Amino acid sequence: MTFRIGKTLSSLALGLALATTALTPVAWAAGASDTDQERAARWHEIATSIFGDRPIAQTDSLVKIDAPVRALDAALVPITLTMPNDGQIKAVSLIIDDNPAPYAAKFEFGPAADPAELKLRVRVNNYTDMHAVVETQDGKLYEAKQFVKASGGCSAPMGMSDEEAMKGMGDMRMKFAESQPGKPVEATLMVRHPNFSGMQMNQVTRDYTPARYIDKLTVSAGNQKVFTLTGDISIASNPVINFAFKPDGKPIQVAASDNQGGHWQHSFTPPSPTN
Amino acid sequence: MTAPAVQPRAFPGQRALSRRGVLFGGLCLCCLPTLGRAAEFFTTEEVGPGIFVRKGLIVDATADNADAIANIGFIVGKTGVLVTESGGSLADGQWLRAEIAKRTQKPITHVVLTHVHPDHVFGAGAFEQDKPVFIGHAKLTEALSARGEFYRKRLIDLLGEARTGPVVYPTMTVADTAEVDLGDRRLTFTAHGPAHTTSDLSMIDSGSGLLFPADLLFVNRIPSLDGSLKGWLTEAARLKAMGPSRAVPGHGPVTVDLAPALADLTGYLTALRDGTRAAIAKDVSIEKAVDTVARDQRDKWALFDTYNGRNVTVAYQELEWE
């Protein structure tokens, strides 16, 4: 898979946001002036590099993106992907067109998944179109789009030292919502990991902290896969993913790895369903 | 001296703008290229013996206001002048330096950098020529290393390079407490744990008993959270325990009674903490929490709609790992 489309660090110069007492993002509308045509051309280029010449049809039913129109915090933009057609969805990709590494995440679903609703938190570096592309079981592609106003999310300093940011790296928690017998269970997976973007400056050396991010994360219910996530620098630090799975009474296994060889595994026991 | 400071307000509950406030916000500053001519609209007020404070605007930084949004000022001691807050830009710092020159010929010996935020540190460049001691929290150097240039670029986009100024680093750092003697008065500094930011420094003046908590105390303007919510509540209690009765908040009126102002601040922070905790416990997602948490505080704070959602976002990340 081509996972790094047009990754240019030229956008470093546009590293701008992080709201504080003083500054509002309005004046730093990087990418704000691009025309719809320019955006469409960029998307075409990105889509071709990821999906080749496979046709992508537009959809307003198979997948929907919910994101704040204007991000409150460019380094943590909550995204909800809604895919109501259970059984039809094989995978979903999230692409943030104007991020330095646009291909933010790909979720490939297994038999234990209920992909109806998926939430994750991303970094957004520019005013940008965001695309969700689903692949259905019959191998067809469908896209949905939303425009998001944010800037500087990838380069925003974390407000703590790298050492502090890496404390407890690989720790995980899982919260389970109350469930009913025979119904999918909603779960929240939290992973401690700085997900360094490679565009954040180290506070002591004043060099850029090398990118270190979760690149693969697999969630299984017993032996059945729920999903595999392929991730990149656009996922916010301390990743949190909300998803749903079909329980079979067995523990939930999570295996995560990062691009620098880190590997972590945890097991969680879902509560018994209540009526 | 009691010349009325112009106080444009943009928050619910205090809609009534003074006529000057309207002119100020609506007409005058818009056409002024620098703070130079805006100076006639700003004024410093003597809030204690030899202590002068300029009230910051309760708005966000714009090209027109030169980021003059924090309460800044100076203390004239026997041996020299200590700048309590430098200003939000080189232009703002230059204005303050000119104000000092109107009041005293004593040398400017100390400039306090109260924390990393741009509205409090970018005035420092105006004082480099005086070769003062720049006083900051022990964590300020690393915080400025990480963010200084990032903030500077953003300010340049807003104000232009000439009015923005350099990132100035502390030359005297405080890890716990420290004292500065101005001959007839002592300033006692306290380095706080992560609270508003990770580099908050407060100061008490022995001459007046006034506390300078900087942005550990917001009044009227909604507090902005960039350090630790739980830590801020701890440090607020510590400020109270330090015992002063009056304070010069980082934003808001030039002086306030400390106890009620701290009560309002902790009221907001507690609402933020409890509301965010409740949202997390009920699996309310972060994007819903930003619209629901601490809403009952909305009428009490200027710029609530601009900052509350972001505060919830920061608080959520801190509290979800409890």
Side-chain angles (χ1 to χ4, degrees):
Chain A
M1 176 162 65
T2 350
F3 217 74
R4 244 180 254 206
I5 301 93
K7 180 160 185 167
T8 63
L9 289 180
S10 65
S11 43
L12 274 177
L14 303 173
L16 295 170
L18 197 79
T20 67
T21 310
L23 302 166
T24 49
V26 185
W28 300 278
S33 59
D34 288 10
T35 62
D36 287 352
Q37 241 174 355
E38 286 167 320
R39 293 187 188 286
R42 189 169 315 128
W43 169 235
H44 180 73
E45 191 187 326
I46 295 168
T48 307
S49 66
I50 299 174
F51 303 105
D53 52 9
R54 297 167 68 187
I56 308 176
Q58 301 208 346
T59 180
D60 49 18
S61 59
L62 286 168
V63 65
K64 189 161 102 39
I65 311 181
D66 280 305
V69 173
R70 184 182 290 284
L72 293 165
D73 180 350
L76 195 165
V77 182
I79 306 291
T80 303
L81 300 173
T82 312
M83 292 159 282
N85 297 53
D86 185 23
Q88 284 190 38
I89 308 296
K90 197 165 144 191
V92 62
S93 296
L94 180 70
I95 295 112
I96 304 166
D97 295 15
D98 291 84
N99 267 11
Y103 204 164
K106 180 179 188 182
F107 291 86
E108 292 165 281
F109 299 107
D114 175 41
E117 192 179 83
L118 199 60
K119 288 177 193 281
L120 71 161
R121 303 170 182 175
V122 299
R123 297 172 168 139
V124 177
N125 218 45
N126 278 309
Y127 281 34
T128 184
D129 276 340
M130 214 176 255
H131 284 87
V133 177
V134 290
E135 181 173 3
T136 49
Q137 297 294 357
D138 57 9
K140 289 190 174 135
L141 299 173
Y142 299 88
E143 66 171 63
K145 177 176 89 168
Q146 184 170 339
F147 187 65
V148 176
K149 292 179 180 174
S151 62
C154 296
S155 49
M158 290 184 66
M160 59 185 90
S161 68
D162 292 355
E163 290 69 30
E164 278 174 84
M166 287 167 71
K167 220 180 270 173
M169 188 159 68
D171 285 356
M172 294 185 200
R173 286 196 199 167
M174 192 172 286
K175 297 193 286 186
F176 299 95
E178 279 183 36
S179 62
Q180 286 154 3
K183 293 275 172 64
V185 178
E186 283 176 36
T188 304
L189 170 65
M190 300 164 60
V191 184
R192 273 272 187 216
H193 197 290
N195 243 44
F196 290 127
S197 67
M199 298 170 63
Q200 297 149 319
M201 197 176 273
N202 181 293
Q203 305 194 352
V204 180
T205 65
R206 304 186 72 178
D207 287 330
Y208 290 99
T209 302
R212 179 163 192 174
Y213 55 88
I214 300 277
D215 59 357
K216 203 62 111 181
L217 187 148
T218 301
V219 178
S220 318
N223 298 323
Q224 302 266 46
K225 185 166 93 172
V226 181
F227 65 80
T228 296
L229 162 67
T230 309
D232 205 288
I233 64 160
S234 294
I235 294 183
S237 62
N238 297 323
V240 175
I241 297 159
N242 299 71
F243 62 97
F245 66 97
K246 295 167 182 161
D248 68 350
K250 294 195 179 119
I252 302 295
Q253 314 282 345
V254 182
S257 60
D258 71 18
N259 67 319
Q260 289 195 24
H263 188 81
W264 303 275
Q265 257 180 310
H266 292 268
S267 178
F268 302 93
T269 307
S272 308
T274 52
N275 284 305
Chain B
M1 116 141 228
T2 53
V6 178
Q7 303 182 0
R9 294 174 190 270
F11 52 98
Q14 303 229 16
R15 288 183 300 116
L17 288 166
S18 72
R19 192 155 172 274
R20 279 181 72 192
V22 171
L23 284 172
F24 184 76
L27 295 171
C28 304
L29 278 183
C30 302
C31 40
L32 293 174
T34 71
L35 196 61
R37 282 195 54 213
E40 65 197 73
F41 297 95
F42 280 119
T43 179
T44 54
E45 200 175 319
E46 186 161 10
V47 299
I51 305 175
F52 298 87
V53 178
R54 190 284 316 273
K55 185 184 186 304
L57 302 172
I58 307 281
V59 296
D60 273 325
T62 65
D64 305 316
N65 66 29
D67 200 17
I69 64 170
N71 292 345
I72 64 175
F74 56 95
I75 298 177
V76 183
K78 191 176 168 199
T79 56
V81 176
L82 176 140
V83 175
T84 60
E85 286 269 16
S86 67
S89 62
L90 182 64
D92 199 20
Q94 285 166 339
W95 176 84
L96 181 61
R97 191 168 179 277
E99 284 294 302
I100 294 170
K102 284 184 207 165
R103 310 252 181 204
T104 180
Q105 296 306 307
K106 288 182 182 170
I108 296 169
T109 53
H110 299 83
V111 173
V112 185
L113 306 171
T114 60
H115 62 289
V116 68
H117 284 160
D119 52 327
H120 297 262
V121 295
F122 276 97
F127 300 97
E128 281 188 309
Q129 58 193 297
D130 302 303
K131 303 199 164 44
V133 177
F134 289 101
I135 306 169
H137 191 291
K139 299 259 185 192
L140 180 63
T141 301
E142 65 179 56
L144 282 170
S145 299
R147 294 188 179 184
E149 282 306 318
F150 181 84
Y151 287 150
R152 204 174 90 85
K153 271 183 205 148
R154 290 180 38 172
L155 261 187
I156 288 172
D157 286 345
L158 202 59
L159 307 179
E161 189 148 14
R163 298 168 68 208
T164 295
V167 177
V168 176
Y169 287 84
T171 53
M172 167 186 160
T173 58
V174 183
D176 182 18
T177 60
E179 230 174 59
V180 164
D181 196 335
L182 293 183
D184 56 344
R185 63 209 313 164
R186 281 171 291 106
L187 290 314
T188 306
F189 294 89
T190 302
H192 294 267
H196 167 59
T197 66
T198 55
S199 53
D200 300 314
L201 188 69
S202 72
M203 178 181 87
I204 290 184
D205 165 45
S206 69
S208 62
L210 273 174
L211 169 71
F212 292 76
D215 277 8
L216 289 171
L217 182 61
F218 282 66
V219 178
N220 297 343
R221 181 184 183 117
I222 185 172
S224 79
L225 174 61
D226 194 21
S228 162
L229 177 53
K230 289 193 283 183
W232 199 344
L233 283 161
T234 304
E235 297 304 330
R238 188 171 167 194
L239 288 177
K240 196 174 174 187
M242 286 158 78
S245 60
R246 300 278 294 169
V248 176
H251 299 272
V254 290
T255 53
V256 292
D257 284 329
L258 181 62
L262 272 179
D264 287 345
L265 174 91
T266 53
Y268 174 74
L269 296 178
T270 305
L272 181 63
R273 180 195 65 191
D274 295 349
T276 306
R277 270 187 183 147
I280 292 166
K282 282 186 284 184
D283 281 328
V284 174
S285 63
I286 203 164
E287 65 270 24
K288 289 208 179 72
V290 299
D291 290 331
T292 54
V293 170
R295 297 303 291 182
D296 60 339
Q297 292 278 321
R298 187 169 186 271
D299 290 345
K300 297 182 182 164
W301 301 99
L303 301 174
F304 182 93
D305 291 342
T306 312
Y307 288 98
N308 185 60
R310 187 184 152 81
N311 288 342
V312 174
T313 305
V314 175
Y316 199 104
Q317 291 170 81
E318 178 181 341
L319 300 175
E320 70 186 339
W321 283 92
E322 278 187 324

